[in-house]
Amino acid sequence: MNQPSILKIPLPMLKLIASSSRIHRVHPTVLRPAHDSASPLLRVLSSLVGLSWRNTNVGGRYFFCSGSSDSSDRVVDAGVQAAEESESKASAIVPTYPRPEDYLTVLALPLIHRPLFPGFYMPVFVKDPKLLAALQESRERQAPYAGAFLLKDEPEADPSAVSSSDTDKNVYDLKGKELFNRLHEVGTLAQISSIHGDQVILIGHRRLRITEMVSEDPLTVKVDHLKDKTYNKDDDIIKATSFEVISTLRDVLKTSSLWRDHVQTYTKHIGDFTYPRLADFGAAISGANKLQCQQVLEELDVYKRLKLTLELVKKEMEISKIQESIAKAIEEKISGEQRRYLLNEQLKAIKKELGLETDDKTALTGKFRERIEPKREKCPPHILQVIDEELAKLQLLEASSSEFSVTRNYLDWLTALPWGEYSDENFDVTRAQKILDEDHYGLTDVKERILEFIAVGKLRGTSQGKIICLSGPPGVGKTSIGRSIARALNRKFFRFSVGGLADVAEIKGHRRTYIGAMPGKMVQCLKNVGTANPLVLIDEIDKLGRGHAGDPASALLELLDPEQNANFLDHYLDVTIDLSKVLFVCTANVVEMIPNPLLDRMEVVAIAGYITDEKMHIARDYLEKTTREACGIKPKQVEVTDAAILALIENYCREAGVRNLQKHIEKIYRKIALQLVRQGEMIDATVEPIKENIDSDELGQNTVQNKNSELVEGSDPEKEGETSDKVDKVQTDLSSDESQCLEVAKESEEDKEIKTKTIEKVLVDESNLTDFVGKPVFHAERIYDQTPVGVVMGLAWTAMGGSTLYIETTLVEEGEGKGTLHPTGQLGDVMKESAQIAHTVARAILLEKEPENPFFANSKLHLHVPAGATPKDGPSAGCTMTTSLLSLAMKKPVKKDLAMTGEVTLTGKILPIGGVC
């Protein structure tokens, strides 16, 4: 069963608070209080809503019901034998026989949300067909009564939580004993007013208490009819409590329109006024939870019931006040915002009439014209024409249209670009050389190229844009040299990376018709730097991507072509831009990864890397100085020897760049900083007790001096002899204290010396380098002190810049016609071919030198390149392999300080090495 949580039919007390009511007199079987007029309490309650109380001298009992015209809404007098007809059909009283108090066995209806109070209507939904049929049968037998009992919450359920539909479904499944155990003992005898489908309208009459269960399906129980405990109607406490309830109800009616609606809707008839009915009325229309209402229903002591009701209506009063304050705050906020909006609109209108302010379109047009006016003389004519046309178009558009925002953004970009504005360039070669040397050591090729660019610009009187590509391994300073070049040329610097770029719109811009369209990177660059001749560093150009949005490498052709970038067309601006004055510097790790058409438009400057000597200078002059300042260490606190730097370079940082070297230097200085801090804390902890001893000794000396002065000042002639003895004694003690203080002072000076000696320079040399950076990563590649026969050292290119490796050849077996070669060492196909070529060339050379030596014809040889786990490939090991084979054949060892590389041909020629020779 389920029923709405809102109140449907109130008590007669609702009628007392309502504006008007109709009183129906029934058979005078119940005596009213012996008053010739209405009680003072009733008059107070009636005055709340302007009720005109009419004095009735005829004794009788009064009942109340709905004022609806529905004939099914009926009220039955449970205390009379017969009833008179009422003044209207809507309020007709239906007599029943026997009386309600004669019903000691009733059907049990479970209520889920709230209990039913006597005198109130409540609709409930009965989902059990058997129970619904039993109720219908009882109504047809002229015994339309049932017991309405509130359902207890489940043990784990929260009583304050609102029941959900799932909980209702679970309640419908309760039957028999299980349902009986879940019902509260005290309920209400309810008249079945009407049944419509599965909805049953109940009217509460009196309180009941369950005694035992009679039957399970449908649930029928035996009940006892409960009566209120006797009370003194003239008790001042009860009167005061009831008046407080009435006063609180009056205040709630003033603040809560919902309560007024309840009173006006449901108070059509009024019964006799009693204190118990007042308590039930207050509890029934309050918004308290079901357990609090059940507590009021179960209370038979009238005074206690009034107190419980008073608590509930007081809570309702507080809730009404909170509701009123919330509504007031929201109303004030809304009204304030509306008032502010209206005043702002009026202010705009007044300023516009007085000419003090223009509308948005006029203000925008004025802003754009002010922005382009200083550039008008330098701005190209076709740009000015487009700007003027767009400004005229902006005036014709509505501010709310989408085209207006597109045009506004377009004009914003057009007028923000630095048309014809160039920065003053530096043509001083000496100054540029100084700036480049300050930031980077080495890189002679790059510096020479920049100085050549400056020299040409100085001779011509103006400079042109160029496209330079710096290629080299990671960490050699390609990106950082770009910033130094911009500083040397006195140009603005802008960097953007194209690594992984797969959208052409990033270069050429979006079409303006797209939502969120923006210009390309070059237009954004010009707006950011504010000049038309910046230095633009395009990083990682060898890592361009390619996706569904086009090929960015092809889009860069127009940008990086000196013959085309003078009329670069951005899709968003749709006007040509002159980029011929821009100096483009690109960086790449592998030039072969750059598309050939794009590579053809750039001047490649290779940066091979740094040798050991250059790394030493960079570490001393740049990396160490910067790292020391970043760690907050003073130069006098640390010393890193040259041997340590050299060992760091050779055993830890063999790569071509210096990025890894910088990381290791930072690691060293971080550990030095931690060591210095720990030493300082230990010394402070040691010196602190010494300071306390010194302070206590000084305090003792002051105390002795004070005592001495007191003795001198307080002496009299009679006690001068005694005083002089005391003074001598104190001075003796003082001299001993002074000697102790001197000793303590000496000790403190010694501690200071110890402290000074303790915080000395942290020395980092080759012997303790492993304490800072760990074990060496690389080791010496020389395996042999004296190279044996058949072993030759070769040179190889690696990602680290290069390394040495041995090529070893040995004789496996010797016999007639067994001349073969077996190469090993995870060699690639090209390197295996080089081994076969070396074998052929060595055989030819041996035949020429020693015609009678049949070594290669009759020997099975094994050629191996150590570090077998490392893949090796390339043609440049040919001459090394040939030398190894000849060394074994002629039984002559190669010099121990000799290393070689180079590709050999079948005729014995050594080819130059790419990029070196």
Side-chain angles (χ1 to χ4, degrees):
M1 278 67 67
N2 191 10
Q3 66 279 351
S5 60
I6 62 172
L7 178 65
K8 292 301 181 183
I9 301 297
L11 277 168
M13 295 305 101
L14 282 171
K15 293 308 178 182
L16 294 175
I17 302 180
S19 59
S20 63
S21 63
R22 307 178 102 186
I23 303 175
H24 303 280
R25 185 163 46 85
V26 195
H27 212 68
T29 60
V30 180
L31 295 178
R32 289 175 52 84
H35 296 289
D36 293 338
S37 61
S39 66
L41 186 58
L42 185 58
R43 287 199 300 270
V44 173
L45 186 61
S46 303
S47 64
L48 299 181
V49 290
L51 179 64
S52 177
W53 180 259
R54 293 176 297 174
N55 186 14
T56 56
N57 295 325
V58 182
R61 188 170 182 179
Y62 298 91
F63 297 87
F64 49 93
C65 66
S66 168
S68 172
S69 61
D70 189 354
S71 61
S72 64
D73 296 337
R74 297 184 291 270
V75 178
V76 179
D77 181 2
V80 297
Q81 298 292 335
E84 297 179 358
E85 292 186 357
S86 62
E87 295 178 1
S88 64
K89 293 181 181 180
S91 60
I93 299 176
V94 179
T96 61
Y97 303 96
R99 296 175 302 173
E101 55 265 26
D102 295 335
Y103 287 90
L104 301 178
T105 302
V106 294
L107 294 169
L109 290 176
L111 305 179
I112 299 175
H113 299 294
R114 291 175 67 87
L116 173 64
F117 284 91
F120 284 84
Y121 281 87
M122 178 179 286
V124 297
F125 294 91
V126 181
K127 301 297 182 181
D128 187 359
K130 292 185 178 180
L131 179 59
L132 188 62
L135 293 174
Q136 186 70 38
E137 182 182 358
S138 298
R139 191 167 182 273
E140 291 175 354
R141 287 189 292 109
Q142 298 298 319
Y145 288 95
F149 301 94
L150 182 65
L151 198 66
K152 297 178 182 178
D153 291 317
E154 295 182 7
E156 66 275 5
D158 183 6
S160 62
V162 180
S163 299
S164 61
S165 59
D166 295 337
T167 305
D168 296 344
K169 292 178 182 178
N170 296 334
V171 170
Y172 299 150
D173 297 334
L174 295 176
K175 302 288 183 183
K177 187 68 174 178
E178 185 180 4
L179 178 60
F180 178 77
N181 294 332
R182 289 282 302 276
L183 296 179
H184 283 275
E185 292 184 359
V186 178
T188 308
L189 180 67
Q191 178 187 349
I192 305 171
S193 175
S194 63
I195 300 177
H196 300 283
D198 60 351
Q199 185 184 47
V200 180
I201 306 298
L202 302 177
I203 305 175
H205 273 262
R206 60 180 59 202
R207 287 169 168 79
L208 300 175
R209 186 187 300 276
I210 297 177
T211 58
E212 60 177 308
M213 183 176 65
V214 177
S215 61
E216 293 188 1
D217 196 13
L219 181 61
T220 307
V221 295
K222 285 187 177 182
V223 295
D224 288 339
H225 292 258
L226 302 179
K227 295 183 180 181
D228 295 331
K229 295 180 180 180
T230 58
Y231 64 94
N232 184 6
K233 296 181 180 180
D234 297 326
D235 191 304
D236 293 337
I237 298 178
I238 295 179
K239 286 184 178 181
T241 306
S242 61
F243 276 112
E244 183 63 24
V245 172
I246 294 173
S247 176
T248 307
L249 290 174
R250 179 192 61 191
D251 295 337
V252 174
L253 285 173
K254 290 180 180 179
T255 58
S256 176
S257 59
L258 180 62
W259 281 43
R260 288 197 297 269
D261 293 340
H262 284 172
V263 173
Q264 295 173 2
T265 303
Y266 301 116
T267 57
K268 297 295 177 84
H269 299 275
I270 188 171
D272 55 336
F273 173 77
T274 59
Y275 295 114
R277 287 291 179 89
L278 176 63
D280 290 345
F281 167 73
I285 67 172
S286 69
N289 61 49
K290 59 183 181 180
L291 295 182
Q292 292 174 331
C293 293
Q294 179 67 24
Q295 188 178 0
V296 175
L297 184 66
E298 294 176 355
E299 185 57 60
L300 300 180
D301 187 281
V302 175
Y303 171 66
K304 293 182 179 179
R305 191 190 303 172
L306 282 172
K307 285 184 63 178
L308 292 174
T309 301
L310 181 60
E311 292 179 4
L312 297 183
V313 294
K314 286 289 185 181
K315 289 181 181 178
E316 288 295 322
M317 184 62 199
E318 294 299 325
I319 294 174
S320 299
K321 289 181 180 179
I322 295 173
Q323 177 185 356
E324 184 180 8
S325 63
I326 293 173
K328 185 177 180 181
I330 294 175
E331 184 179 356
E332 289 178 354
K333 181 179 179 181
I334 295 175
S335 61
E337 292 177 355
Q338 291 178 345
R339 182 171 178 272
R340 191 179 299 107
Y341 173 77
L342 293 175
L343 290 176
N344 285 331
E345 291 298 321
Q346 292 176 0
L347 183 61
K348 288 181 181 179
I350 293 172
K351 287 185 176 180
K352 187 176 181 181
E353 289 294 329
L354 295 176
L356 300 178
E357 186 176 299
T358 57
D359 57 2
D360 293 340
K361 290 192 291 185
T362 307
L364 280 174
T365 305
K367 183 183 74 172
F368 293 142
R369 292 189 184 278
E370 290 177 3
R371 188 184 292 177
I372 197 63
E373 194 62 34
K375 315 172 190 175
R376 185 170 289 276
E377 295 181 359
K378 301 177 183 179
C379 188
H382 68 281
I383 302 296
L384 291 176
Q385 182 181 356
V386 172
I387 292 176
D388 292 339
E389 291 175 356
E390 293 295 324
L391 286 173
K393 177 182 176 182
L394 188 68
Q395 289 292 335
L396 301 176
L397 294 173
E398 290 293 333
S400 58
S401 66
S402 60
E403 186 69 18
F404 180 84
S405 61
V406 172
T407 305
R408 180 189 59 195
N409 294 336
Y410 181 49
L411 281 170
D412 192 16
W413 279 100
L414 275 179
T415 55
L417 294 181
W419 302 107
E421 295 184 0
Y422 303 97
S423 59
D424 297 333
E425 291 194 76
N426 171 40
F427 293 116
D428 189 349
V429 178
T430 305
R431 178 175 174 271
Q433 177 78 49
K434 182 179 178 182
I435 293 174
L436 293 173
D437 290 339
E438 285 178 358
D439 297 338
H440 292 80
Y441 182 85
L443 302 180
T444 307
D445 295 342
V446 181
K447 294 178 181 178
E448 285 293 327
R449 182 63 187 86
I450 299 304
L451 295 178
E452 291 169 4
F453 177 81
I454 295 175
V456 171
K458 183 175 183 180
L459 294 178
R460 290 187 57 194
T462 181
S463 62
Q464 289 295 114
K466 290 292 180 181
I467 296 93
I468 301 174
C469 179
L470 306 178
S471 67
V476 296
K478 299 184 299 297
T479 303
S480 59
I481 192 66
R483 194 179 300 274
S484 298
I485 294 171
R487 193 161 69 93
L489 297 175
N490 196 27
R491 290 196 179 199
K492 298 289 185 179
F493 178 77
F494 184 84
R495 172 193 171 273
F496 70 93
S497 177
V498 294
L501 188 68
D503 191 359
V504 175
E506 292 290 331
I507 307 297
K508 300 277 288 181
H510 302 83
R511 299 288 180 185
R512 292 200 306 274
T513 54
Y514 298 154
I515 297 176
M518 287 188 66
K521 285 291 184 182
M522 275 312 303
V523 177
Q524 297 178 34
C525 160
L526 296 179
K527 181 182 178 181
N528 289 338
V529 299
T531 60
N533 62 337
L535 186 147
V536 179
L537 180 70
I538 304 177
D539 219 349
E540 309 293 349
I541 199 170
D542 60 328
K543 300 176 181 62
L544 279 169
R546 184 171 185 175
H548 68 279
D551 184 12
S554 301
L556 284 173
L557 293 177
E558 181 185 1
L559 180 65
L560 299 180
D561 192 340
E563 300 298 328
Q564 299 182 35
N565 60 14
N567 296 306
F568 178 75
L569 183 65
D570 185 87
H571 291 161
Y572 183 86
L573 295 183
D574 204 21
V575 292
T576 57
I577 305 173
D578 184 11
L579 300 178
S580 60
K581 302 291 184 181
V582 178
L583 175 59
F584 291 96
V585 177
C586 306
T587 66
N589 296 125
V590 183
V591 179
E592 288 76 12
M593 298 294 294
I594 304 175
N596 287 331
L598 186 60
L599 184 63
D600 184 60
R601 287 163 169 78
M602 297 186 293
E603 180 182 349
V604 179
V605 179
I607 304 176
Y610 300 103
I611 61 176
T612 303
D613 183 61
E614 290 176 335
K615 286 185 178 181
M616 284 287 294
H617 283 86
I618 293 172
R620 283 297 188 191
D621 300 338
Y622 301 94
L623 303 181
E624 189 179 3
K625 180 181 178 182
T626 305
T627 306
R628 187 169 57 240
E629 292 176 356
C631 293
I633 299 175
K634 298 178 181 179
K636 63 181 181 180
Q637 291 178 314
V638 64
E639 180 182 356
V640 182
T641 63
D642 292 341
I645 297 293
L646 183 61
L648 190 66
I649 294 171
E650 291 182 347
N651 299 334
Y652 298 86
C653 311
R654 288 189 179 181
E655 64 280 342
V658 293
R659 185 173 290 129
N660 194 32
L661 179 60
Q662 181 181 4
K663 292 179 181 178
H664 279 77
I665 293 176
E666 290 175 352
K667 186 176 182 179
I668 291 173
Y669 273 88
R670 286 197 302 268
K671 290 187 178 296
I672 291 173
L674 179 60
Q675 184 176 342
L676 292 174
V677 171
R678 283 178 174 173
Q679 289 179 0
E681 290 179 352
M682 292 176 62
I683 293 171
D684 292 341
T686 306
V687 173
E688 197 66 33
I690 299 175
K691 288 184 177 180
E692 293 178 358
N693 293 335
I694 294 173
D695 294 339
S696 62
D697 291 334
E698 291 177 354
L699 180 61
Q701 182 179 359
N702 293 335
T703 305
V704 171
Q705 291 177 355
N706 291 335
K707 288 182 178 180
N708 191 4
S709 61
E710 289 175 0
L711 289 172
V712 174
E713 291 176 359
S715 62
D716 53 10
E718 296 179 356
K719 298 181 180 180
E720 282 184 0
E722 183 180 354
T723 303
S724 61
D725 295 337
K726 291 182 179 181
V727 170
D728 293 339
K729 184 178 181 181
V730 170
Q731 288 178 351
T732 303
D733 295 338
L734 180 60
S735 61
S736 62
D737 293 336
E738 288 177 351
S739 62
Q740 293 178 359
C741 292
L742 291 175
E743 292 177 359
V744 172
K746 289 180 180 180
E747 291 178 359
S748 62
E749 290 178 359
E750 291 176 358
D751 292 332
K752 290 180 180 179
E753 292 177 0
I754 293 172
K755 183 177 179 181
T756 306
K757 291 179 181 179
T758 305
I759 307 180
E760 293 180 349
K761 276 188 177 181
V762 178
L763 180 63
V764 181
D765 55 7
E766 189 176 2
S767 61
N768 64 350
L769 184 61
T770 56
D771 298 337
F772 294 93
V773 291
K775 295 182 179 180
V777 180
F778 305 100
H779 301 277
E781 296 175 351
R782 183 177 295 277
I783 304 175
Y784 308 102
D785 294 333
Q786 178 62 43
T787 308
V789 174
V791 178
V792 181
M793 182 180 288
L795 300 175
W797 177 92
T798 65
M800 296 294 182
S803 64
T804 60
L805 73 165
Y806 285 97
I807 295 180
E808 303 172 341
T809 306
T810 185
L811 176 65
V812 178
E813 63 175 315
E814 196 170 5
E816 186 70 26
K818 290 188 176 181
T820 58
L821 178 67
H822 178 61
T824 59
Q826 201 172 350
L827 308 181
D829 293 337
V830 177
M831 203 165 183
K832 289 179 181 179
E833 292 177 356
S834 297
Q836 295 297 330
I837 295 172
H839 187 256
T840 303
V841 172
R843 190 168 184 174
I845 294 175
L846 184 64
L847 183 61
E848 181 182 351
K849 297 291 184 181
E850 299 179 5
E852 298 178 356
N853 191 347
F855 178 79
F856 289 109
N858 301 328
S859 302
K860 183 179 180 180
L861 305 178
H862 183 186
L863 186 145
H864 178 67
V865 182
T870 305
K872 311 170 191 69
D873 201 4
S876 298
C879 69
T880 311
M881 293 178 177
T882 303
T883 307
S884 175
L885 292 169
L886 288 173
S887 172
L888 181 64
M890 301 174 70
K891 294 181 176 55
K892 292 182 180 180
V894 181
K895 295 180 181 180
K896 63 179 182 180
D897 56 353
L898 178 66
M900 60 186 69
T901 184
E903 182 181 356
V904 67
T905 66
L906 280 175
T907 59
K909 299 295 183 182
I910 306 297
L911 300 181
I913 306 168
V916 177
C917 298

